[in-house]
Amino acid sequence: MTTTNTTTNAIVHKANTRGHANHGWLESYHTFSFAGYYNPERVHFGVLRVLNDDRVDAAMGFGKHPHDNMEIISIPLEGDLEHKDSMGNSTVIKNGDIQVMSAGTGIFHSEYNKNPDQPVKFLQIWVFPNKKNVQPRYDQVTLNVNDRHNKLQQVLSPNPEDEGVWIHQDAWFHMGRFDKGIDTTYAIKKAGNGVYAFILKGDFTINGHELNQRDGIGIWDVDQLDIKANSQDAEILLMEVPMDVA
Amino acid sequence: MENLTILYLGMHPEIRETVVRVINGNGRWRGIGAGSTEEAMRLFLFEKVDVLLLGCGIDPETEARLRKDMLELAPSLIIIQHYGGGSGLLLAEISMAVEKHHPKTLNPSL
């Protein structure tokens, strides 16, 4: 089965071609090779290495496990995700929050569904860092989701003083929720970067490509993306990342 | 990718233990761990190591010297930078590196 649709400067990953793991308590869709899913055509998009679309059953979760040398971003979509780590952080994140960890020289953390009676759904995104062996760090912010209505809201950047969380990489993430028929453009922040767009909900046209819920498209060698929402309350995540893995 | 011996070098003891356990969880691979370059070189000299997996906490100069010394002794050694510190990326990292070095391993038709 062909899992990718590549044009000159774009690659489309349809939702139903993603890797899939169902462990009962955990159901995960992997855009890129992860754990038991290995597809040499699907390993990374630039420095974007992991895009996991996870559902965890009530009161279940990932016990204590380690990470190093990776920028790890969690974006809750539904429910409450409880996080505890070896730096002493103990938090609960929910829709509207974004969490980041720079794993650096090594951390341990656990992630559990805080709720006893409903699942939690979240994206876990891993980005290769531009600097190895940094001091581990944790951060989270609560964003005003109204600030992404019919526009793109920055949720992550390389700059600690900027809007959203920051990471050790020349990457910018934006989220948007659009009414049907609304057009917008996204201008590349750093020359040479590409953008991986992930459709959270609804339908979009991006640079001429028709995309539906949970489809992804990676685009490079462009200055901007032309984005149109084709359904009401369509939601999108844009991840601008360097294309060269150091 | 049968019967690979993979030497993991990383300075974080718990992550080292985790990575070696994950490697050994794959029936075709044998994982051994080192927490210093001296220990890594000692294991390298006494074991038939196919893959050196570099973990966290190694300074760039030490890493460069280790790469040079080991490749002089074993030019076919596969050296991989491991990212993530656990199970998520190991399979792909190792599979891709082995495929790159030994295409027939994964594609017998080549």
Side-chain angles (χ1 to χ4, degrees):
Chain A
M1 175 182 178
T2 301
T3 61
T4 56
N5 175 9
T6 310
T7 58
T8 310
N9 64 337
I11 187 163
V12 174
H13 296 143
K14 298 299 285 182
N16 64 0
T17 67
R18 295 177 296 170
H20 180 226
N22 191 342
H23 302 285
W25 64 271
L26 163 68
E27 186 172 27
S28 185
Y29 288 90
H30 310 303
T31 293
F32 302 107
S33 296
F34 189 84
Y37 167 60
Y38 174 60
N39 178 346
E41 291 182 0
R42 296 272 194 100
V43 178
H44 61 98
F45 178 79
V47 300
L48 175 62
R49 177 59 188 85
V50 171
L51 174 53
N52 287 347
D53 183 1
D54 290 349
R55 175 195 55 77
V56 174
D57 277 353
M60 301 298 287
F62 303 91
K64 193 177 88 163
H65 61 282
H67 292 294
D68 67 18
N69 284 327
M70 193 61 74
E71 303 297 293
I72 298 172
I73 301 106
S74 296
I75 302 177
L77 303 174
E78 288 177 33
D80 300 305
L81 185 66
E82 184 176 33
H83 162 99
K84 292 181 181 175
D85 66 40
S86 52
M87 294 176 283
N89 297 294
S90 179
T91 61
V92 176
I93 55 172
K94 58 190 181 302
N95 183 255
D97 296 340
I98 182 165
Q99 176 198 77
V100 64
M101 288 190 304
S102 297
T105 53
I107 56 163
F108 276 77
H109 78 139
S110 63
E111 297 156 291
Y112 279 91
N113 182 345
K114 179 74 173 171
N115 287 315
D117 57 357
Q118 58 177 301
V120 63
K121 296 179 182 178
F122 62 101
L123 301 180
Q124 184 149 110
I125 299 161
W126 295 14
V127 173
F128 287 120
N130 58 12
K131 192 175 175 186
K132 281 197 295 185
N133 298 317
V134 299
Q135 177 82 17
R137 56 178 280 273
Y138 174 91
D139 194 14
Q140 68 175 77
V141 296
T142 298
L143 300 154
N144 182 350
V145 295
N146 293 324
D147 289 345
R148 66 182 69 154
H149 183 216
N150 287 334
K151 58 188 175 187
L152 292 166
Q153 176 188 38
Q154 181 176 291
V155 300
L156 176 147
S157 79
N159 309 310
E161 307 307 317
D162 218 340
E163 190 180 6
V165 293
W166 69 275
I167 62 170
H168 292 281
Q169 189 52 270
D170 293 325
W172 288 262
F173 289 10
H174 288 75
M175 297 177 79
R177 187 183 75 253
F178 295 90
D179 296 337
K180 185 176 181 179
I182 295 290
D183 292 295
T184 191
T185 59
Y186 175 79
I188 301 292
K189 303 275 188 188
K190 185 179 179 187
N193 277 4
V195 179
Y196 195 89
F198 188 62
I199 311 303
L200 297 171
K201 185 181 168 191
D203 309 309
F204 284 89
T205 303
I206 300 178
N207 287 22
H209 296 268
E210 302 282 333
L211 299 157
N212 311 110
Q213 189 158 305
R214 296 314 207 250
D215 289 350
I217 182 170
I219 301 177
W220 60 97
D221 290 342
V222 295
D223 296 324
Q224 70 172 43
L225 269 59
D226 298 311
I227 301 164
K228 182 178 183 180
N230 299 324
S231 60
Q232 187 62 25
D233 293 327
E235 295 182 33
I236 192 168
L237 167 65
L238 300 182
M239 293 165 278
E240 177 183 334
V241 292
M243 293 306 291
D244 293 326
V245 179
Chain B
M1 289 208 300
E2 299 302 314
N3 306 317
L4 292 177
T5 294
I6 299 163
L7 170 58
Y8 173 82
L9 171 61
M11 304 309 167
H12 193 298
E14 289 170 296
I15 292 179
R16 185 167 64 250
E17 182 187 327
T18 300
V19 171
V20 170
R21 176 167 40 81
V22 170
I23 291 169
N24 284 320
N26 179 317
R28 300 164 302 173
W29 300 343
R30 184 173 73 101
I32 48 178
S36 68
T37 51
E38 294 78 12
E39 186 182 8
M41 184 54 83
R42 194 166 58 249
L43 285 166
F44 176 76
L45 292 170
F46 285 97
E47 306 273 353
K48 185 191 171 300
V49 174
D50 301 291
V51 176
L52 173 66
L53 195 62
L54 296 167
C56 61
I58 309 161
D59 71 78
E61 296 77 17
T62 302
E63 180 184 320
R65 192 167 59 249
L66 190 73
R67 283 174 179 265
K68 179 175 173 290
D69 291 350
M70 286 190 176
L71 285 171
E72 278 179 1
L73 292 166
S76 64
L77 178 71
I78 298 169
I79 302 178
I80 305 168
Q81 174 65 54
H82 173 58
Y83 286 94
S87 59
L89 308 189
L90 269 174
L91 172 64
E93 282 175 344
I94 295 167
S95 299
M96 284 185 68
V98 171
E99 162 68 1
K100 186 176 164 186
H101 283 74
H102 308 290
K104 291 185 181 181
T105 305
L106 295 181
N107 291 309
S109 60
L110 292 178

